[in-house]
Amino acid sequence: MSADSIVVDIHIGRQEWLEIYYDGAGRNLRVRARDGRSVVFPARILHPWITHDGVKGTFMILFDRHGKFHSASKLA
């Protein structure tokens, strides 16, 4: 399997996260990767890193050769 990865910096406060994830305002996130690419992925992949304050950090997201989400990890 050939995979593509992106690195994104995400800073979503608690209220915004609740609106995105629970209220259905948008189950997908659209963010700009560090290399300038725009990417859309399901908000649920960040669930392991939710804190009381929301979701904050630098993440590496892997996609398969078809552009489907494969895995995510927190870098910082």
Side-chain angles (χ1 to χ4, degrees), residues 40-55:
V40 176
F41 57 87
R44 66 176 167 72
I45 71 172
L46 298 175
H47 197 265
W49 300 286
I50 297 170
T51 68
H52 180 71
D53 296 325
V55 178

Side-chain angles (χ1 to χ4, degrees), residues 1-74:
M1 174 181 83
S2 174
D4 192 16
S5 66
I6 60 162
V7 175
V8 296
D9 298 301
I10 297 176
H11 301 283
I12 301 173
R14 181 176 189 265
Q15 187 60 40
E16 184 180 1
W17 180 257
L18 290 172
E19 291 171 9
I20 291 168
Y21 193 79
Y22 294 107
D23 295 340
R27 300 263 178 192
N28 291 321
L29 294 177
R30 178 181 302 274
V31 298
R32 180 134 341 253
R34 284 187 172 181
D35 66 6
R37 289 183 286 175
S38 180
V39 63
V40 176
F41 57 87
R44 66 176 167 72
I45 71 172
L46 298 175
H47 197 265
W49 300 286
I50 297 170
T51 68
H52 180 71
D53 296 325
V55 178
K56 295 179 174 61
T58 300
F59 299 87
M60 178 178 289
I61 301 172
L62 296 175
F63 298 90
D64 69 17
R65 62 189 172 106
H66 302 291
K68 301 294 183 188
F69 168 72
H70 181 266
S71 63
S73 58
K74 187 171 183 180

